[in-house]
Amino acid sequence: MQTSDFKFELPPELIAQHPIDRRDGSRLLCLDRDSGKIIHSHFYNIADLLLPGDVLVLNDSRVIPARIFGEKISKDPLDTDCAAGINAVKEEKANSSQVEFVLLRQKDIDLWECLVKPGKKAKVNTKFDFSGFMQGQVIAEIPDVGRLVKFEYDNVTGGIYHILEHIGHMPLPPYITKKLVNKERYQTVYSNQPGSAAAATAGLHFTPELLKKLVSKGVAITYVTLHVGLGTFRPVKTKTIEEHTMHSEHYFLPQATADTINRAKSNGNRVIATGTTACRVLETAGRDNGTLYEYEGDTDIFIYPGYDFKVIDGLITNFHLPESTLIMLTAAFAGYKNIMNAYQTAVGQKYRFFSFGDAMLIL
């Protein structure tokens, strides 16, 4: 398929710049993937749309304030000829400016893959200071990602995550230009596994009360972890979707979740993934025959039309960027014509789009 097949016109005013006051007050477009029929509702009604015995799978990854700013550490003038060293330091200070780091993926305790801007100021072996809380040294360049950075700091409870809470900023997608007043609104209410550079946004609509209502109805709620990277927002740049190389993300599927889903499938009950992230975990782990086992690893699964789903029977998702891997995944599940018609309908009905936008339920 052509990447351009997934292009659609979106008025800029429909891109949600902030979360609405009530988490579950967002609109909900319900799409029947067999008939293509569309029903308009609100997210707080989702318990009426699920059945006893359904399994709802949530991604419990938590967004870290992964965007930090570093100042390049000057070399000691005594390491070189004194006069030349002093002049070099003066020149460096005159040209210095902050360098932005976004921590994408933890490779070891204090070793991270980072997106760095501007990259030309973050050469290998360059050291940076981050507000006096910690230092970082560029260890290597990583093609198509950025830099591998080793961080150092005094021993603190909570380690680097504690420091990030003090100096870090939420790495909001580039299409959100408004300042986020409350950081927790870019977190799901059930997030507890730090590691994501972006929110699993389909889960932002749930409240504790709504989750309790689902449980009381007989819906089983279970969790996976996938740490979302910024690659999730990047559009596909190849002419055909088959040429695209998918980004990789780390995930964990607990045995308890595997057991719950396997039991539901054997009983003929439905499995509904909350978000494309949960979907990718389940379809990666069950890609052979649909049976799940506890597993931790990386996934670069690319789901697009023609894919044979092995695990999920339903999907809760937000409205995604044109020509993105996310809209391609939803088209694979619901059918290309159904999805493109649903998006056209959502635009016509002035639904709110992207991370802080409205939701879609596909069954």
Side-chain angles (χ1 to χ4, degrees), residues 74-225:
S74 303
K75 293 181 179 179
D76 188 343
L78 297 179
D79 290 342
T80 59
D81 174 77
C82 185
I86 291 174
N87 289 335
V89 171
K90 287 182 178 179
E91 181 180 353
E92 187 171 340
K93 286 185 176 180
N95 296 326
S96 68
S97 61
Q98 288 188 326
V99 176
E100 177 184 336
F101 291 73
V102 179
L103 283 65
L104 297 179
R105 187 169 182 171
Q106 190 174 28
K107 303 296 289 184
D108 203 345
I109 295 177
D110 295 312
L111 190 66
W112 288 76
E113 291 180 358
C114 297
L115 185 67
V116 180
K117 191 167 58 175
K120 63 182 180 181
K121 292 191 176 183
K123 297 179 181 180
V124 174
N125 294 325
T126 306
K127 292 184 177 181
F128 293 86
D129 175 77
F130 297 91
S131 304
F133 282 85
M134 67 179 177
Q135 294 183 356
Q137 181 175 4
V138 178
I139 302 299
E141 293 188 12
I142 308 174
D144 301 322
V145 177
R147 303 290 187 271
L148 187 65
V149 181
K150 174 70 173 178
F151 293 98
E152 295 181 350
Y153 48 87
D154 294 333
N155 289 332
V156 293
T157 302
I160 193 170
Y161 293 110
H162 178 78
I163 293 173
L164 292 175
E165 290 295 332
H166 286 277
I167 67 173
H169 305 265
M170 282 297 186
L172 295 177
Y175 50 74
I176 296 178
T177 59
K178 304 295 184 182
K179 184 178 180 180
L180 181 62
V181 177
N182 180 2
K183 288 183 180 181
E184 283 301 309
R185 290 308 305 271
Y186 197 55
Q187 306 279 13
T188 62
V189 296
Y190 47 80
S191 63
N192 61 22
Q193 300 295 326
S196 279
T201 56
L204 295 178
H205 309 282
F206 285 102
T207 65
E209 294 76 18
L210 184 54
L211 292 171
K212 289 179 182 177
K213 185 177 181 180
L214 286 164
V215 170
S216 66
K217 185 172 182 176
V219 175
I221 295 178
T222 190
Y223 299 90
V224 297
T225 303

